[in-house]
Amino acid sequence: MKIGVDLGGTNIRAGLIHNQQVVEIKKINLKNKNNLESTLKQLTQLIASIYNPEVCGIGIGVPSVVDREQGIVFDVVNIPSWKEVHLKDILEKEFDVPVFINNDSNCFALGEKYFGAGKDYKNVVGITIGTGLGGGIIIDGALFNGVNCGAGEIGYLPFKDKDLEYYCSSNFFEKIHNTTAYETFLKAEENDPEALKLWEEFGHNMGFALKSVMYAYDPEVIVLGGSISAAYPYFKHKMYESLNTSYFPKSVKKLKICLSEIENASMLGAAALVIQQQETPVQ
């Protein structure tokens, strides 16, 4: 059995996984985020609530830069007290099993590889579209992290006057158009012409993001997740229209783009950190 943890700035999810099946999931709202001791206690108590002697490892996905070898997380998004936390040492001392830590977007991609749309592919890119634009890369079946666990951070690639994340996340709606993705989605559901136009513009931008992914990694499949992916029908057409301006039209034709269909993909991917470590060394 393995435990996977999706640590976010608002809540924490922990799941007990056996034979790639979810046995139990628990979730808590993270409180007192300015207090490191308090947040660590909440995390350990949540893990302890599903822990049993058959657990052979714990995987954790965090929205931050990670020193994977030492298991140190830095400047975790929306948890002010987590500036430099030696999380691996803390949890291994508490539970006496191996602990593996990675970026949450990497965990999303790994979750899709082991449990979702990436199962039948060796080269997978997972992209989360929400508050930010995150990415995780699977190459020849293994998670590719880069030296600083920063591979796949496509959101920070330059685009127009800023970067891709500014134009391909909630920033596009909030900072440029003074609305929210959710409000625009609801209006699009009612065939509001202005809302539909915004989604077309968003899709045009996403097409450029996917072209960047294709040029850099040439994957078999790109899996889209995150809250904004729910609006896919409204930005899909313009996204493909933009993507089809690629220099490699045959590559676009072969590329499969699909939506995540599994719940808690990042949590499952965190558990898969343990699975993959047992199967083969992570790159």
Side-chain angles (χ1 to χ4, degrees), residues 1-48:
M1 290 187 174
K2 296 93 179 170
I3 289 177
V5 180
D6 180 15
L7 173 65
T10 303
N11 55 61
I12 313 173
R13 292 180 178 86
L16 183 64
I17 315 299
H18 181 56
N19 291 332
Q20 298 199 16
Q21 298 294 319
V22 179
V23 177
E24 184 177 8
I25 292 179
K26 289 195 175 180
K27 171 186 171 182
I28 61 169
N29 293 324
L30 188 62
K31 301 175 181 178
N32 202 13
K33 293 186 285 185
N34 288 304
N35 187 305
L36 177 60
E37 185 179 350
S38 173
T39 52
L40 285 171
K41 185 176 181 180
Q42 292 172 67
L43 173 62
T44 55
Q45 287 180 341
L46 179 64
I47 295 172

Side-chain angles (χ1 to χ4, degrees), residues 224 228-237 239-240 257-259:
L224 303 180
I228 292 179
S229 67
Y232 185 63
Y234 298 116
F235 66 81
K236 175 182 177 180
H237 175 73
M239 182 191 77
Y240 268 102
I257 300 172
C258 58
L259 296 179

Side-chain angles (χ1 to χ4, degrees), residues 249-263:
K250 289 186 178 180
S251 296
V252 175
K253 189 174 181 179
K254 290 174 65 177
L255 177 65
K256 182 177 176 61
I257 300 172
C258 58
L259 296 179
S260 174
E261 295 183 352
I262 58 173
E263 291 187 41

Side-chain angles (χ1 to χ4, degrees), residues 143-239:
L143 182 61
F144 179 71
N145 298 283
V147 175
N148 301 299
C149 202
E153 293 289 357
I154 62 165
Y156 299 124
L157 292 175
F159 181 61
K160 296 184 179 181
D161 59 330
K162 295 189 182 297
D163 56 29
L164 284 170
E165 183 168 276
Y166 191 82
Y167 289 93
C168 300
S169 71
S170 63
N171 292 320
F172 171 80
F173 300 93
E174 295 171 8
K175 295 182 179 179
I176 301 175
H177 296 288
N178 196 32
T179 183
T180 67
Y182 185 62
E183 288 173 357
T184 310
F185 173 73
L186 293 179
K187 289 180 180 179
E189 292 275 84
E190 297 174 353
N191 289 317
D192 180 87
E194 290 299 319
L196 294 171
K197 185 178 179 181
L198 279 189
W199 283 116
E200 288 182 352
E201 185 181 346
F202 182 85
H204 176 77
N205 298 337
M206 276 303 304
F208 274 88
L210 298 194
K211 272 198 299 186
S212 299
V213 168
M214 191 183 70
Y215 290 146
Y217 304 108
D218 194 21
E220 297 166 271
V221 60
I222 296 175
V223 185
L224 303 180
S227 57
I228 292 179
S229 67
Y232 185 63
Y234 298 116
F235 66 81
K236 175 182 177 180
H237 175 73
K238 284 295 182 180
M239 182 191 77

